[in-house]
Amino acid sequence: MTIARRTFLKSATGIGAASSLGAWQQVAAALASDTPDGAFGFAEDRVPMNAANLCPMPTAISHAVARYSHELDRDLSSANRRRIENMKEDARTTVAAQLECSADELAIVRNTSEANSIVVQGLKLGKGDEVLLWDQNHPSNSLAWDVRAARDGFSVRRFSLPMNAASIDEVVAAISKEAGKQTRVVSFTHISNISGFRLPAAEICSALRRKRSDLHIHVDGAQTWGARHFSLGNVDCDSFSGSAHKWFMGPRETGLLFVREAKQAKLAATVVSIPWGNEVEPSVAGARRYEALGQRDDAAIAALAETAAWHAELTPQFVEQTATAIADQLRDALSEFDAPFVSSRHPDFRSNVIILKASREQLRELPQKVFEHSGVITVATGGLRMSPHIYNTRDHVLRVAAAVKRYRSLLGDT
């Protein structure tokens, strides 16, 4: 791409000038173009391909965070603070529409770990109760349960799944049979950050409901929200968590917790502060009780509203289709030289989290070697992990694939 073209794109997406209200429209246009990286400020020799951990914000959204912070510092009057704080409701309403749930079922928290923690700490559990977990859950949805179980005396049991599963029915049956008479909670990660395996969440929840209608089913959507079109109207879980700093490409320390209306009375809030109200019963509606966390970064939450707006403009379906196409290009490029995959290539289970086999010893150096050769950032999680997103281009894919091919001998056997 020419310097003139890149200069134009950066100006059009707010990189060359201060962001303004409505910058989300330019971000959406850039992300729908053939040069989506123009909406972002990362250097071409430092290309992020680690969406499973942290995504860059579009530069216009970074500017929005700074702008709202400046506006608060300039004017801390109640009226100005309320104006910016009220944008939380704009974010909530827009995200709820994308997830196909009620706005009163969404709490805007700080990240997936905090959302998971509310579920872990907020359910009433004791001796004789069992929590059933996938053994690939994130620590905030795994170790956190062990810590609480040690205190309160309930049991935690984990199930494994065959990574070479041939059908959705096989996976659903394997999980459904694990739920026993003592099981009170089933909690699983929708997409594993250590294998990239994508569970058939809707089918799992449906099977568990048929077996035990009283279960609390929690889905960790850290690798889902912002990457895939996920309908909480079609997935019969009781709670769902996500982080804006990952695939949603939003401000850091903003995330969400969905709690279905019928289960809110059974899931206690774990922090009670502003804006709970002045009585034992919360004065805020619905899931807002779970975000009574005291003073927040209101500028980041306001910018979340703009992030949600350009996701709405693009649509979750478009983002999934575009990001999946980039991931498929990377899978194809790696397959050309017989790269050893950890992550499934089965269409029902694959995701944008792509992991290759490598020994622990080689992983100490391999991401750095790939970076030095390609200028693309990968990580050593579950193997050599690459998680491309909508801002990555075919050029990025070819560069990182060429670097991995160069160091093919350092990868594991097929």
Side-chain angles (χ1 to χ4, degrees), residues 5 44 48 55 57 71 80-81 138 155 169 189 193 196 257 261 270 293 304 334 385 392 412:
R5 171 68 171 157
E44 279 302 305
C55 278
M57 287 181 277
E71 290 176 8
N80 194 46
R81 292 179 68 184
H138 185 272
S155 63
D169 287 346
T189 295
N193 72 307
L257 172 65
E261 182 180 5
T270 54
L293 305 170
L304 179 65
L334 296 171
R385 188 180 76 185
N392 290 122

Side-chain angles (χ1 to χ4, degrees), residues 80-89 295 298:
N80 194 46
R81 292 179 68 184
R82 279 195 300 271
R83 176 183 67 85
I84 292 176
E85 289 169 2
N86 285 343
M87 292 189 71
K88 180 192 289 186
E89 293 306 315
Q295 182 61 53
D298 296 320

Side-chain angles (χ1 to χ4, degrees), residues 44-237:
E44 279 302 305
D45 61 351
R46 286 187 174 36
V47 174
M49 199 173 278
N50 187 24
N53 177 245
L54 182 65
C55 278
M57 287 181 277
T59 307
I61 300 302
S62 297
H63 287 166
V65 175
R67 183 181 72 251
Y68 290 125
S69 291
H70 174 71
E71 290 176 8
L72 283 169
D73 289 338
R74 182 179 60 83
D75 178 7
L76 281 172
S77 67
S78 295
N80 194 46
R81 292 179 68 184
R82 279 195 300 271
R83 176 183 67 85
I84 292 176
E85 289 169 2
N86 285 343
M87 292 189 71
K88 180 192 289 186
E89 293 306 315
D90 296 334
R92 191 191 319 274
T93 299
T94 306
V95 172
Q98 293 161 14
L99 291 172
E100 299 177 5
C101 66
S102 165
D104 287 345
E105 294 177 314
L106 281 186
I108 296 177
V109 295
R110 287 175 285 209
N111 49 44
T112 309
S113 292
E114 182 168 68
N116 288 346
S117 179
I118 292 169
V119 176
V120 171
Q121 302 298 331
L123 289 171
K124 186 177 180 180
L125 295 166
K127 292 182 179 179
D129 294 330
E130 178 186 81
V131 174
L132 182 63
L133 309 174
W134 187 22
D135 63 4
Q136 291 193 28
N137 282 2
H138 185 272
S140 67
N141 192 24
S142 183
L143 179 60
W145 288 106
D146 294 324
V147 171
R148 188 186 162 195
R151 182 182 73 228
D152 292 342
F154 60 85
S155 63
V156 176
R157 186 162 56 87
R158 291 169 174 82
F159 62 86
S160 299
L161 293 171
M163 293 296 97
N164 61 348
S167 71
I168 288 176
D169 287 346
E170 179 183 350
V171 171
V172 172
I175 296 176
S176 181
K177 74 177 183 180
E178 294 287 346
K181 293 181 179 180
Q182 304 304 117
T183 306
R184 292 278 312 282
V185 179
V186 179
S187 188
F188 61 87
T189 295
H190 182 214
I191 298 173
S192 169
N193 72 307
I194 58 174
S195 72
F197 195 89
R198 173 169 55 91
L199 294 183
E203 292 85 351
I204 291 168
C205 291
S206 180
L208 289 171
R209 284 279 179 250
R210 289 194 299 270
K211 185 173 184 179
R212 290 281 307 281
S213 61
D214 60 336
L215 287 172
H216 185 101
I217 305 174
H218 177 64
V219 178
D220 180 327
Q223 308 301 335
T224 307
W225 183 38
R228 304 190 68 84
H229 176 222
F230 192 86
S231 171
L232 288 163
N234 295 330
V235 180
D236 191 12
C237 60

Side-chain angles (χ1 to χ4, degrees), residues 394-408:
R394 181 165 180 79
D395 174 62
H396 301 157
V397 166
L398 295 177
R399 282 161 52 184
V400 76
V404 174
K405 182 178 181 180
R406 178 183 180 128
Y407 297 107
R408 173 64 180 84

